[in-house]
Amino acid sequence: MENSNFYALDLYSGSGAVTLGMKNAGFIVKAAVDFDPKACETYRLNHPEVNLVESDIRDVHLSTFDDLKKNLDLLAVCAPCQPFSSRNRNKMSSDDRVALVLEACRFIEYLQPKFIVFENVPGLERNQVFAELEKFLIGQEYHVSRPEKLDAAELGVPQRRVRMILFAAKSAKLLESAANIQPQARKSVRDAIGDLPSAVERSNSLVDQMHFRRAHSALNLERLRHIPKNGGSRHSLPHHLVLDCHRGIPDHHYPDCYGRMHWEQPAPTLTTGCTDFTKGRYVHPEDDRAITLREAARLQTFPDEYQFAGNSGQIATQIGNAVPPTMMSVIAASIRSALTKGI
Ligand SMILES: C[S@@+](CC[C@H](N)C(=O)[O-])C[C@H]1O[C@@H](n2cnc3c(N)ncnc32)[C@H](O)[C@@H]1O
């Protein structure tokens, strides 16, 4: 009889976005590992049934997961991505976070999952760590896909977010079948946040404690009034409002700081600074303010009932670090469909 339960393990689970995506695709997530206390608090609030191991992954004893030995269908590995991003090229080999990708190897060797998905920023495939990973996987008798760039905007997420996805599977047919990921209808900023009420100042009486406008300085409010609605940029600022740090630099440097989102387009990539317009194009399409935490969470496809622990900065970090749950659920659905065929 076909076994319809598919078990998953989430390494570097953060706030649980990947877990949510896998659960939505029908996987039973048995366990997860992360060491960030606030992200783990968020994880427990939303996935109390999962065995979350709150620890530095390098200290985790594999025997903790004995029930998953040879019984693990999907292993998700979303190691910290900063060492590989184009903004950190000079840190690539010295940063010991690079080694965290390879930390997954001991889990793979011990648990022998049927399918593995690695998610990271494009750039990993150019790093020596990728060659080491591929060699290890082949040595463990895995078939390994070519690293593929996937844009979340093609997978039903109202945000451009290009990620490097690498698959490995015990069976070549399983790998081929799972890699056939179906594009989804595109979503815009309006689709995601257009129905939200106006954001007001923070107070205890707010119905949604994640939907409040940050206090901006009078000078910044004056700047925002000059940024054209719907996609405008700091290049429209009159000379006296241009920031000192932007004077005399080429136009293409920091083009997104103080920029507005566009209602009819996907949002730009949300980072951990996603509610701070000095860090990117994070101004509301028409209101003179940065997007709220609720808007950021929606643009990452977290449902409104998802609970976040921590202060505003910690929540923005969890949101910006996440793999959009919808992106993960589309990928995981493709893997589940391939596993269901029993190939
Ligand atoms: C890119 S985020 C993963 C996001 C997560 N998959 C999600 O979708 O929300 C990387 C995560 O790795 C965790 N991390 C970094 N170094 C770690 C370590 N040595 N041990 C365990 N977790 C670690 C961080 O706390 C962070 O949550």
Side-chain angles (χ1 to χ4, degrees):
M1 202 179 75
E2 187 194 309
N3 174 11
S4 56
N5 284 342
F6 293 108
Y7 298 120
L9 169 61
D10 185 355
L11 297 185
Y12 306 104
S13 52
S15 59
V18 164
T19 287
L20 178 62
M22 294 194 291
K23 279 164 66 169
N24 287 346
F27 284 89
I28 297 172
V29 180
K30 298 289 280 185
V33 179
D34 203 286
F35 73 171
D36 180 84
K38 275 297 159 201
C40 286
E41 206 177 317
T42 295
Y43 191 102
R44 280 190 210 95
L45 284 171
N46 297 282
H47 311 289
E49 79 289 2
V50 180
N51 172 22
L52 171 64
V53 181
E54 183 176 338
S55 161
D56 189 313
I57 198 164
R58 290 165 290 197
D59 300 332
V60 172
H61 292 290
L62 294 170
S63 56
T64 312
F65 306 111
D66 269 352
D67 57 331
L68 288 172
K69 227 172 161 182
K70 302 242 169 85
N71 191 25
L72 179 61
D73 298 289
L74 176 57
L75 174 69
V77 184
C78 305
C81 48
Q82 290 87 344
F84 309 110
S85 82
S86 50
R87 295 182 193 165
N88 287 283
R89 284 217 175 95
N90 53 350
K91 290 190 192 164
M92 272 180 27
S93 55
S94 58
D95 196 315
D96 79 350
R97 282 173 297 185
V98 166
L100 292 175
V101 173
L102 294 177
E103 193 58 29
C105 294
R106 66 188 186 99
F107 287 79
I108 294 166
E109 190 168 12
Y110 191 73
L111 299 172
Q112 296 288 312
K114 284 200 189 77
F115 203 98
I116 311 165
V117 56
F118 294 88
E119 183 270 355
N120 218 288
V121 287
L124 173 65
E125 69 281 10
R126 292 192 297 273
N127 192 285
Q128 175 58 23
V129 75
F130 176 72
E132 279 182 50
L133 181 63
E134 200 178 23
K135 191 169 161 213
F136 166 81
L137 289 168
I138 292 167
Q140 291 288 312
E141 299 183 345
Y142 279 92
H143 299 265
V144 186
S145 73
R146 291 166 69 89
E148 200 179 335
K149 282 186 197 164
L150 283 182
D151 186 347
E154 306 292 332
L155 300 180
V157 177
Q159 183 193 158
R160 289 184 297 272
R161 193 177 185 93
V162 178
R163 286 320 208 227
M164 196 281 304
I165 304 289
L166 182 76
F167 286 159
K170 282 287 180 188
S171 137
K173 276 195 179 152
L174 181 61
L175 184 69
E176 195 188 331
S177 171
N180 186 20
I181 296 168
Q182 296 306 307
Q184 306 289 307
R186 285 175 81 89
K187 296 268 172 64
S188 66
V189 169
R190 191 187 296 282
D191 291 330
I193 65 169
D195 64 326
L196 285 171
S198 311
V200 294
E201 277 167 26
R202 191 170 208 178
S203 78
N204 289 339
S205 60
L206 280 184
V207 177
D208 180 352
Q209 285 295 329
M210 290 205 359
H211 193 51
F212 62 89
R213 58 184 303 150
R214 291 180 63 164
H216 301 307
S217 68
L219 182 58
N220 269 342
L221 282 173
E222 177 65 7
R223 288 189 174 110
L224 294 185
R225 281 194 272 277
H226 284 83
I227 310 278
K229 309 291 181 204
N230 236 4
S233 79
R234 68 177 176 81
H235 295 129
S236 299
L237 289 177
H239 187 73
H240 71 283
L241 289 177
V242 173
L243 280 96
D244 286 345
C245 59
H246 291 157
R247 286 182 198 277
I249 60 168
D251 273 0
H252 61 277
H253 282 201
Y254 312 110
D256 289 335
C257 300
Y258 287 76
R260 279 189 198 275
M261 295 185 180
H262 194 297
W263 274 128
E264 311 311 334
Q265 291 173 12
T269 305
L270 267 57
T271 65
T272 55
C274 56
T275 55
D276 180 351
F277 50 71
T278 68
K279 302 207 169 132
R281 185 171 290 277
Y282 301 138
V283 182
H284 187 272
E286 60 187 56
D287 293 347
D288 292 334
R289 59 172 177 82
I291 59 166
T292 66
L293 288 170
R294 170 61 58 219
E295 288 163 339
R298 288 242 188 132
L299 293 167
Q300 277 280 56
T301 68
F302 280 104
D304 288 357
E305 57 273 19
Y306 208 82
Q307 299 177 66
F308 288 92
N311 61 30
S312 300
Q314 290 163 330
I315 293 176
T317 297
Q318 292 168 48
I319 293 173
N321 266 340
V323 180
T326 296
M327 179 181 198
M328 191 61 206
S329 78
V330 173
I331 294 170
S334 184
I335 298 168
R336 187 171 189 277
S337 153
L339 285 165
T340 307
K341 290 178 197 154
I343 47 182

